[in-house]
Amino acid sequence: MNASLLRLILAQISIHACMTGMRMATPLLALREGYSPAAVGVLLALFALTQVFLSLPAGRYADRHGLKRPLAISVIVASAGAATAVVFPIYPVLCFAALCSGGASGAAIIALQRHVGRQAHDKVTLRKVFSWLAIGPAVSNFLGPFLAGLLIDYAGGEAASTTGFRAAFVLLTLLPLSAWLWVRTVQEEKPAPKPADAKKTTAWDMLQNQGFRRLLLMNWALSSCWDVHTFVVPILGHERGLSASVIGTILGAFAIAAAAIRLLIPLLSERISEWKVVMGAMLGACALFTAYPLMPNAWAMMGCSIALGLVLGSVQPMVMSMIHQITPPHRQGEALGLRMMAINGSSVVMPVLFGSIGTVVGVSALFWAVGAIVGGSARLPWLLGKDNLPQDLAAPPRIGS
Protein backbone atom coordinates (compact mmCIF):
# COMPACT_ATOMS: atom_id res chain seq x y z
CA MET A 1 0.00 0.00 0.00
CA ASN A 2 1.44 3.39 -0.99
CA ALA A 3 0.98 6.72 0.81
CA SER A 4 -1.58 8.01 -1.69
CA LEU A 5 -3.84 4.97 -1.23
CA LEU A 6 -3.50 5.25 2.55
CA ARG A 7 -4.68 8.87 2.44
CA LEU A 8 -7.69 7.85 0.35
CA ILE A 9 -8.58 5.08 2.82
CA LEU A 10 -8.30 7.52 5.74
CA ALA A 11 -10.54 9.99 3.88
CA GLN A 12 -13.11 7.26 3.32
CA ILE A 13 -12.99 6.30 7.01
CA SER A 14 -13.45 9.94 8.07
CA ILE A 15 -16.57 10.64 6.01
CA HIS A 16 -18.11 7.17 6.44
CA ALA A 17 -17.57 7.29 10.23
CA CYS A 18 -19.67 10.45 10.29
CA MET A 19 -22.56 8.51 8.76
CA THR A 20 -22.17 5.42 10.97
CA GLY A 21 -21.92 7.58 14.09
CA MET A 22 -25.06 9.51 13.10
CA ARG A 23 -26.83 6.23 12.36
CA MET A 24 -26.17 5.13 15.94
CA ALA A 25 -26.70 8.45 17.73
CA THR A 26 -29.85 9.79 16.05
CA PRO A 27 -32.09 6.76 16.84
CA LEU A 28 -30.95 6.86 20.48
CA LEU A 29 -31.87 10.54 20.74
CA ALA A 30 -35.23 9.94 19.06
CA LEU A 31 -36.02 7.10 21.48
CA ARG A 32 -34.98 9.26 24.44
CA GLU A 33 -37.42 11.93 23.24
CA GLY A 34 -40.24 9.36 23.24
CA TYR A 35 -40.58 8.63 19.52
CA SER A 36 -41.98 5.25 18.53
CA PRO A 37 -39.99 2.37 17.00
CA ALA A 38 -41.80 3.09 13.72
CA ALA A 39 -40.48 6.67 13.73
CA VAL A 40 -37.00 5.36 14.48
CA GLY A 41 -37.34 2.92 11.56
CA VAL A 42 -38.18 5.81 9.23
CA LEU A 43 -35.17 7.72 10.53
CA LEU A 44 -32.84 4.78 9.85
CA ALA A 45 -34.29 4.23 6.37
CA LEU A 46 -33.40 7.82 5.42
CA PHE A 47 -29.67 7.02 5.63
CA ALA A 48 -30.05 4.56 2.73
CA LEU A 49 -32.91 6.30 0.94
CA THR A 50 -30.82 9.29 -0.15
CA GLN A 51 -28.25 7.00 -1.72
CA VAL A 52 -30.93 5.28 -3.80
CA PHE A 53 -31.72 8.54 -5.59
CA LEU A 54 -28.31 10.23 -5.54
CA SER A 55 -25.95 7.37 -6.41
CA LEU A 56 -26.45 7.50 -10.18
CA PRO A 57 -26.15 11.32 -10.47
CA ALA A 58 -23.14 11.19 -8.12
CA GLY A 59 -21.46 8.59 -10.34
CA ARG A 60 -22.00 10.67 -13.46
CA TYR A 61 -20.71 13.76 -11.69
CA ALA A 62 -17.55 11.87 -10.69
CA ASP A 63 -17.08 10.78 -14.32
CA ARG A 64 -17.13 14.44 -15.37
CA HIS A 65 -15.16 16.02 -12.52
CA GLY A 66 -12.93 13.34 -10.99
CA LEU A 67 -12.28 13.00 -7.25
CA LYS A 68 -11.82 16.30 -5.46
CA ARG A 69 -14.90 18.27 -6.46
CA PRO A 70 -17.40 15.48 -5.59
CA LEU A 71 -15.55 14.82 -2.35
CA ALA A 72 -15.53 18.52 -1.38
CA ILE A 73 -19.31 18.72 -1.90
CA SER A 74 -19.79 15.53 0.14
CA VAL A 75 -17.68 16.93 2.99
CA ILE A 76 -19.72 20.15 3.08
CA VAL A 77 -23.07 18.33 3.00
CA ALA A 78 -22.12 15.77 5.68
CA SER A 79 -20.70 18.41 8.02
CA ALA A 80 -23.69 20.70 7.48
CA GLY A 81 -26.12 17.90 8.32
CA ALA A 82 -24.32 17.00 11.56
CA ALA A 83 -23.92 20.69 12.48
CA THR A 84 -27.68 21.31 12.24
CA ALA A 85 -28.19 18.47 14.74
CA VAL A 86 -25.80 20.25 17.13
CA VAL A 87 -27.92 23.42 17.05
CA PHE A 88 -31.38 21.81 16.83
CA PRO A 89 -31.35 18.26 18.28
CA ILE A 90 -35.00 17.59 17.38
CA TYR A 91 -36.56 14.81 15.28
CA PRO A 92 -37.19 16.71 12.00
CA VAL A 93 -33.60 17.98 12.02
CA LEU A 94 -32.30 14.48 12.81
CA CYS A 95 -34.12 13.29 9.67
CA PHE A 96 -32.44 16.07 7.67
CA ALA A 97 -29.05 15.08 9.12
CA ALA A 98 -29.69 11.45 8.18
CA LEU A 99 -30.42 12.43 4.59
CA CYS A 100 -27.29 14.60 4.42
CA SER A 101 -24.82 12.17 5.99
CA GLY A 102 -26.18 9.15 4.11
CA GLY A 103 -26.14 10.83 0.72
CA ALA A 104 -22.74 12.47 1.27
CA SER A 105 -21.16 9.19 2.36
CA GLY A 106 -22.46 7.36 -0.71
CA ALA A 107 -21.33 10.06 -3.14
CA ALA A 108 -17.87 10.23 -1.56
CA ILE A 109 -17.38 6.47 -1.69
CA ILE A 110 -18.34 6.36 -5.38
CA ALA A 111 -15.79 9.09 -6.21
CA LEU A 112 -13.09 7.34 -4.16
CA GLN A 113 -13.78 3.92 -5.70
CA ARG A 114 -13.69 5.37 -9.21
CA HIS A 115 -10.41 7.20 -8.53
CA VAL A 116 -8.73 4.15 -6.98
CA GLY A 117 -9.82 1.88 -9.84
CA ARG A 118 -8.38 4.27 -12.42
CA GLN A 119 -4.98 4.10 -10.69
CA ALA A 120 -4.70 0.36 -11.42
CA HIS A 121 -3.35 -0.87 -14.74
CA ASP A 122 -3.73 -4.65 -14.39
CA LYS A 123 -6.08 -7.13 -12.76
CA VAL A 124 -3.77 -8.00 -9.87
CA THR A 125 -3.48 -4.34 -8.85
CA LEU A 126 -7.25 -3.90 -9.12
CA ARG A 127 -7.81 -6.74 -6.64
CA LYS A 128 -5.18 -5.35 -4.28
CA VAL A 129 -6.37 -1.73 -4.19
CA PHE A 130 -10.02 -2.62 -3.77
CA SER A 131 -9.18 -5.06 -0.98
CA TRP A 132 -7.32 -2.32 0.87
CA LEU A 133 -10.09 0.21 0.21
CA ALA A 134 -12.76 -2.24 1.45
CA ILE A 135 -11.11 -2.25 4.89
CA GLY A 136 -12.15 1.39 5.37
CA PRO A 137 -15.89 0.76 5.99
CA ALA A 138 -15.04 -2.00 8.47
CA VAL A 139 -12.97 0.48 10.48
CA SER A 140 -15.51 3.30 10.26
CA ASN A 141 -18.39 0.96 11.24
CA PHE A 142 -16.57 0.57 14.54
CA LEU A 143 -15.00 4.01 14.93
CA GLY A 144 -18.03 6.24 14.34
CA PRO A 145 -20.45 4.54 16.77
CA PHE A 146 -17.70 3.96 19.35
CA LEU A 147 -16.58 7.60 19.53
CA ALA A 148 -20.15 8.92 19.40
CA GLY A 149 -21.20 6.50 22.14
CA LEU A 150 -18.37 7.60 24.45
CA LEU A 151 -19.36 11.26 24.11
CA ILE A 152 -23.08 10.52 24.57
CA ASP A 153 -22.36 8.65 27.80
CA TYR A 154 -19.64 10.83 29.32
CA ALA A 155 -19.50 14.33 27.80
CA GLY A 156 -22.62 15.67 29.50
CA GLY A 157 -22.00 14.64 33.08
CA GLU A 158 -24.67 11.94 32.86
CA ALA A 159 -25.44 9.29 30.28
CA ALA A 160 -27.61 10.27 27.30
CA SER A 161 -27.88 13.95 28.21
CA THR A 162 -28.59 16.57 25.56
CA THR A 163 -25.10 17.96 26.08
CA GLY A 164 -23.62 14.51 25.43
CA PHE A 165 -25.56 14.16 22.18
CA ARG A 166 -24.50 17.64 21.10
CA ALA A 167 -20.86 16.79 21.82
CA ALA A 168 -21.19 13.66 19.68
CA PHE A 169 -22.69 15.68 16.83
CA VAL A 170 -19.82 18.20 17.08
CA LEU A 171 -17.31 15.39 16.64
CA LEU A 172 -19.30 13.98 13.71
CA THR A 173 -19.32 17.47 12.14
CA LEU A 174 -15.52 17.60 12.27
CA LEU A 175 -14.85 14.08 10.93
CA PRO A 176 -15.80 14.84 7.29
CA LEU A 177 -13.63 17.97 7.36
CA SER A 178 -10.63 15.77 8.14
CA ALA A 179 -11.41 13.78 4.97
CA TRP A 180 -10.55 16.86 2.90
CA LEU A 181 -7.23 17.22 4.73
CA TRP A 182 -6.30 13.69 3.65
CA VAL A 183 -7.15 14.10 -0.06
CA ARG A 184 -6.14 17.70 -0.76
CA THR A 185 -2.60 16.62 -1.77
CA VAL A 186 -3.69 13.56 -3.78
CA GLN A 187 -2.80 13.85 -7.46
CA GLU A 188 -5.99 14.28 -9.47
CA GLU A 189 -6.40 12.56 -12.83
CA LYS A 190 -8.11 14.21 -15.74
CA PRO A 191 -11.54 12.70 -16.42
CA ALA A 192 -11.48 10.05 -19.14
CA PRO A 193 -12.46 11.57 -22.50
CA LYS A 194 -15.42 10.16 -24.35
CA PRO A 195 -14.64 8.39 -27.63
CA ALA A 196 -15.04 10.67 -30.64
CA ASP A 197 -17.90 8.56 -32.03
CA ALA A 198 -19.66 8.13 -28.65
CA LYS A 199 -23.42 8.57 -28.71
CA LYS A 200 -25.52 10.06 -25.92
CA THR A 201 -26.00 7.31 -23.34
CA THR A 202 -28.31 6.59 -20.44
CA ALA A 203 -28.27 4.16 -17.52
CA TRP A 204 -30.72 2.03 -19.48
CA ASP A 205 -28.00 1.41 -22.10
CA MET A 206 -25.80 -0.07 -19.41
CA LEU A 207 -28.61 -2.21 -18.01
CA GLN A 208 -29.28 -3.59 -21.49
CA ASN A 209 -25.82 -5.17 -21.46
CA GLN A 210 -26.06 -8.81 -20.42
CA GLY A 211 -22.75 -8.82 -18.54
CA PHE A 212 -23.65 -5.81 -16.42
CA ARG A 213 -27.09 -7.27 -15.65
CA ARG A 214 -25.40 -10.46 -14.50
CA LEU A 215 -23.06 -8.44 -12.30
CA LEU A 216 -25.93 -6.52 -10.66
CA LEU A 217 -27.99 -9.68 -10.07
CA MET A 218 -24.99 -11.44 -8.57
CA ASN A 219 -24.24 -8.44 -6.35
CA TRP A 220 -27.90 -8.21 -5.28
CA ALA A 221 -27.98 -11.89 -4.25
CA LEU A 222 -24.84 -11.47 -2.15
CA SER A 223 -26.02 -8.16 -0.66
CA SER A 224 -29.22 -9.92 0.41
CA CYS A 225 -27.07 -12.36 2.38
CA TRP A 226 -25.57 -9.45 4.34
CA ASP A 227 -29.02 -7.95 4.96
CA VAL A 228 -30.67 -11.17 6.06
CA HIS A 229 -27.79 -12.07 8.40
CA THR A 230 -27.89 -8.65 10.09
CA PHE A 231 -31.69 -8.69 10.32
CA VAL A 232 -32.43 -12.32 11.23
CA VAL A 233 -29.62 -13.29 13.63
CA PRO A 234 -30.99 -11.04 16.42
CA ILE A 235 -34.43 -12.60 15.93
CA LEU A 236 -33.02 -16.13 15.92
CA GLY A 237 -30.91 -15.37 18.99
CA HIS A 238 -33.92 -13.90 20.82
CA GLU A 239 -35.98 -17.01 20.04
CA ARG A 240 -33.22 -19.14 21.59
CA GLY A 241 -32.92 -17.00 24.70
CA LEU A 242 -29.48 -15.51 23.94
CA SER A 243 -28.55 -12.25 25.64
CA ALA A 244 -28.05 -9.00 23.73
CA SER A 245 -24.31 -9.12 24.39
CA VAL A 246 -24.03 -12.64 22.95
CA ILE A 247 -26.04 -11.67 19.87
CA GLY A 248 -23.84 -8.59 19.45
CA THR A 249 -20.73 -10.76 19.76
CA ILE A 250 -22.00 -13.09 17.03
CA LEU A 251 -22.59 -10.14 14.69
CA GLY A 252 -19.25 -8.60 15.69
CA ALA A 253 -17.43 -11.84 14.86
CA PHE A 254 -18.97 -11.69 11.38
CA ALA A 255 -17.70 -8.11 10.85
CA ILE A 256 -14.19 -8.94 12.10
CA ALA A 257 -13.97 -11.98 9.80
CA ALA A 258 -15.14 -9.91 6.81
CA ALA A 259 -12.41 -7.34 7.51
CA ALA A 260 -9.74 -10.02 8.09
CA ILE A 261 -10.25 -11.70 4.72
CA ARG A 262 -9.82 -8.33 3.01
CA LEU A 263 -6.40 -8.04 4.62
CA LEU A 264 -5.48 -11.44 3.19
CA ILE A 265 -6.66 -10.87 -0.38
CA PRO A 266 -3.78 -8.52 -1.39
CA LEU A 267 -1.33 -11.30 -0.48
CA LEU A 268 -3.17 -13.79 -2.70
CA SER A 269 -4.18 -11.46 -5.53
CA GLU A 270 -1.77 -12.99 -8.06
CA ARG A 271 -3.16 -16.51 -7.50
CA ILE A 272 -6.90 -15.85 -7.65
CA SER A 273 -9.42 -14.77 -10.27
CA GLU A 274 -12.50 -12.71 -9.58
CA TRP A 275 -15.20 -15.01 -10.89
CA LYS A 276 -13.81 -18.07 -9.09
CA VAL A 277 -13.71 -16.25 -5.74
CA VAL A 278 -17.28 -14.96 -6.16
CA MET A 279 -18.64 -18.33 -7.30
CA GLY A 280 -16.96 -20.03 -4.33
CA ALA A 281 -18.40 -17.39 -2.01
CA MET A 282 -21.92 -17.94 -3.35
CA LEU A 283 -21.73 -21.71 -2.96
CA GLY A 284 -20.23 -21.29 0.51
CA ALA A 285 -22.95 -18.85 1.55
CA CYS A 286 -25.60 -21.28 0.30
CA ALA A 287 -24.18 -24.08 2.47
CA LEU A 288 -23.80 -21.84 5.54
CA PHE A 289 -27.31 -20.41 5.28
CA THR A 290 -28.66 -23.95 5.06
CA ALA A 291 -26.77 -24.97 8.22
CA TYR A 292 -27.19 -21.77 10.27
CA PRO A 293 -30.71 -22.43 11.71
CA LEU A 294 -29.61 -25.96 12.69
CA MET A 295 -26.79 -24.74 14.95
CA PRO A 296 -27.58 -25.91 18.51
CA ASN A 297 -25.94 -23.15 20.59
CA ALA A 298 -24.28 -19.73 20.56
CA TRP A 299 -20.78 -21.12 19.92
CA ALA A 300 -21.94 -22.99 16.84
CA MET A 301 -23.78 -19.90 15.59
CA MET A 302 -20.62 -17.87 16.09
CA GLY A 303 -18.63 -20.41 14.07
CA CYS A 304 -21.15 -20.07 11.24
CA SER A 305 -21.01 -16.27 11.55
CA ILE A 306 -17.21 -16.22 11.26
CA ALA A 307 -17.27 -18.56 8.26
CA LEU A 308 -19.96 -16.44 6.60
CA GLY A 309 -17.94 -13.28 7.25
CA LEU A 310 -14.89 -14.81 5.57
CA VAL A 311 -16.98 -15.91 2.59
CA LEU A 312 -18.95 -12.69 2.04
CA GLY A 313 -16.06 -10.36 2.95
CA SER A 314 -14.09 -11.61 -0.05
CA VAL A 315 -16.74 -10.52 -2.53
CA GLN A 316 -16.69 -6.70 -2.66
CA PRO A 317 -13.09 -6.30 -3.93
CA MET A 318 -13.80 -8.85 -6.67
CA VAL A 319 -17.04 -7.13 -7.72
CA MET A 320 -15.35 -3.73 -7.85
CA SER A 321 -12.55 -5.17 -9.96
CA MET A 322 -15.05 -6.70 -12.41
CA ILE A 323 -16.97 -3.43 -12.74
CA HIS A 324 -13.79 -1.62 -13.77
CA GLN A 325 -12.97 -4.34 -16.28
CA ILE A 326 -16.30 -4.42 -18.12
CA THR A 327 -17.13 -0.69 -18.23
CA PRO A 328 -15.37 2.02 -20.28
CA PRO A 329 -13.32 4.55 -18.25
CA HIS A 330 -15.65 7.47 -18.93
CA ARG A 331 -18.65 5.52 -17.49
CA GLN A 332 -17.10 3.82 -14.46
CA GLY A 333 -18.58 6.32 -11.99
CA GLU A 334 -22.01 5.76 -13.52
CA ALA A 335 -21.60 1.99 -13.15
CA LEU A 336 -20.54 2.36 -9.51
CA GLY A 337 -23.55 4.60 -8.91
CA LEU A 338 -25.92 2.03 -10.40
CA ARG A 339 -24.44 -0.66 -8.17
CA MET A 340 -24.78 1.47 -5.04
CA MET A 341 -28.33 2.46 -5.98
CA ALA A 342 -29.31 -1.20 -6.31
CA ILE A 343 -27.68 -2.17 -3.01
CA ASN A 344 -29.27 0.65 -1.03
CA GLY A 345 -32.64 0.08 -2.66
CA SER A 346 -32.38 -3.50 -1.48
CA SER A 347 -31.39 -2.35 2.03
CA VAL A 348 -34.51 -0.17 2.22
CA VAL A 349 -36.94 -2.84 0.95
CA MET A 350 -35.46 -6.11 2.19
CA PRO A 351 -35.87 -5.68 5.98
CA VAL A 352 -39.60 -5.06 5.48
CA LEU A 353 -39.83 -8.04 3.13
CA PHE A 354 -37.81 -10.26 5.46
CA GLY A 355 -40.01 -9.31 8.39
CA SER A 356 -43.19 -10.15 6.47
CA ILE A 357 -41.88 -13.47 5.16
CA GLY A 358 -40.36 -14.43 8.52
CA THR A 359 -43.69 -13.86 10.25
CA VAL A 360 -45.43 -16.23 7.83
CA VAL A 361 -42.90 -19.04 7.31
CA GLY A 362 -40.50 -18.63 10.24
CA VAL A 363 -36.89 -17.57 10.61
CA SER A 364 -35.35 -20.91 9.58
CA ALA A 365 -37.28 -20.98 6.31
CA LEU A 366 -36.09 -17.43 5.58
CA PHE A 367 -32.46 -18.54 5.98
CA TRP A 368 -33.05 -21.48 3.65
CA ALA A 369 -34.86 -19.34 1.06
CA VAL A 370 -32.00 -16.83 0.83
CA GLY A 371 -29.50 -19.73 0.72
CA ALA A 372 -31.42 -21.20 -2.21
CA ILE A 373 -31.43 -17.84 -4.03
CA VAL A 374 -27.69 -17.29 -3.66
CA GLY A 375 -26.92 -20.91 -4.52
CA GLY A 376 -29.13 -20.74 -7.60
CA SER A 377 -27.29 -17.59 -8.69
CA ALA A 378 -23.83 -19.18 -8.41
CA ARG A 379 -23.66 -19.73 -12.18
CA LEU A 380 -23.62 -15.96 -12.82
CA PRO A 381 -19.94 -15.36 -11.92
CA TRP A 382 -18.90 -18.28 -14.13
CA LEU A 383 -20.83 -16.77 -17.06
CA LEU A 384 -19.24 -13.39 -16.35
CA GLY A 385 -15.75 -14.87 -16.35
CA LYS A 386 -16.41 -16.83 -19.54
CA ASP A 387 -18.23 -14.20 -21.61
CA ASN A 388 -17.65 -10.71 -20.20
CA LEU A 389 -14.29 -10.25 -18.47
CA PRO A 390 -11.37 -9.23 -20.72
CA GLN A 391 -8.15 -11.22 -20.58
CA ASP A 392 -6.22 -8.01 -19.82
CA LEU A 393 -7.10 -4.40 -19.09
CA ALA A 394 -5.80 -3.26 -22.45
CA ALA A 395 -8.64 -5.14 -24.14
CA PRO A 396 -11.74 -3.12 -25.07
CA PRO A 397 -14.37 -2.97 -22.29
CA ARG A 398 -17.31 -5.30 -22.72
CA ILE A 399 -19.92 -2.56 -22.32
CA GLY A 400 -20.24 -0.18 -25.21
CA SER A 401 -19.38 3.49 -24.97
Side-chain angles (χ1 to χ4, degrees), residues 123-160:
K123 290 185 177 184
V124 173
T125 308
L126 272 176
R127 296 171 201 140
K128 284 183 178 180
V129 295
F130 281 121
S131 297
W132 289 121
L133 193 66
I135 295 168
V139 174
S140 54
N141 278 329
F142 165 78
L143 191 65
F146 175 73
L147 294 176
L150 285 179
L151 290 171
I152 289 168
D153 281 343
Y154 298 110
E158 62 180 23

Side-chain angles (χ1 to χ4, degrees), residues 172-198:
L172 298 174
T173 299
L174 297 175
L175 277 176
L177 298 176
S178 68
W180 180 251
L181 296 178
W182 291 117
V183 302
R184 62 191 177 87
T185 58
V186 171
Q187 186 67 34
E188 179 78 275
E189 279 197 1
K190 292 182 179 180
K194 290 185 179 181
D197 58 347

Side-chain angles (χ1 to χ4, degrees), residues 86-120:
V86 176
V87 182
F88 303 107
I90 56 176
Y91 182 79
V93 173
L94 298 182
C95 292
F96 171 75
L99 290 168
C100 288
S101 60
S105 175
I109 288 173
I110 288 170
L112 286 162
Q113 288 172 340
R114 178 189 174 279
H115 179 83
V116 167
R118 285 177 54 77
Q119 303 299 302

Side-chain angles (χ1 to χ4, degrees), residues 87-312:
V87 182
F88 303 107
I90 56 176
Y91 182 79
V93 173
L94 298 182
C95 292
F96 171 75
L99 290 168
C100 288
S101 60
S105 175
I109 288 173
I110 288 170
L112 286 162
Q113 288 172 340
R114 178 189 174 279
H115 179 83
V116 167
R118 285 177 54 77
Q119 303 299 302
H121 302 291
D122 57 75
K123 290 185 177 184
V124 173
T125 308
L126 272 176
R127 296 171 201 140
K128 284 183 178 180
V129 295
F130 281 121
S131 297
W132 289 121
L133 193 66
I135 295 168
V139 174
S140 54
N141 278 329
F142 165 78
L143 191 65
F146 175 73
L147 294 176
L150 285 179
L151 290 171
I152 289 168
D153 281 343
Y154 298 110
E158 62 180 23
S161 67
T162 300
T163 302
F165 277 104
R166 279 188 160 132
F169 294 144
V170 168
L171 172 68
L172 298 174
T173 299
L174 297 175
L175 277 176
L177 298 176
S178 68
W180 180 251
L181 296 178
W182 291 117
V183 302
R184 62 191 177 87
T185 58
V186 171
Q187 186 67 34
E188 179 78 275
E189 279 197 1
K190 292 182 179 180
K194 290 185 179 181
D197 58 347
K199 300 177 181 178
K200 186 177 180 180
T201 57
T202 64
W204 181 246
D205 299 324
M206 196 169 285
L207 291 172
Q208 286 182 309
N209 179 270
Q210 185 183 59
F212 194 73
R213 288 200 308 272
R214 288 170 175 169
L215 186 61
L216 283 186
L217 286 171
M218 178 186 77
N219 203 180
W220 170 80
L222 289 160
S223 176
S224 296
C225 292
W226 284 80
D227 289 336
V228 78
H229 184 262
T230 303
F231 179 79
V232 177
V233 166
I235 299 173
L236 185 64
H238 179 73
E239 286 183 356
R240 296 183 175 185
L242 302 181
S243 68
S245 60
V246 171
I247 294 170
T249 302
I250 292 171
L251 291 173
F254 172 86
I256 291 171
I261 193 65
R262 290 170 181 174
L263 287 170
L264 184 62
I265 287 175
L267 304 177
L268 303 175
S269 56
E270 295 182 8
R271 303 182 184 90
I272 58 180
S273 61
E274 292 87 355
W275 71 267
K276 291 179 181 177
V277 171
V278 177
M279 187 170 71
M282 297 181 88
L283 293 173
C286 175
L288 289 165
F289 269 83
T290 301
Y292 215 124
L294 307 177
M295 295 296 103
N297 54 48
W299 286 108
M301 289 176 64
M302 187 176 296
C304 258
S305 186
I306 291 171
L308 195 61
L310 293 172
V311 164
L312 295 180

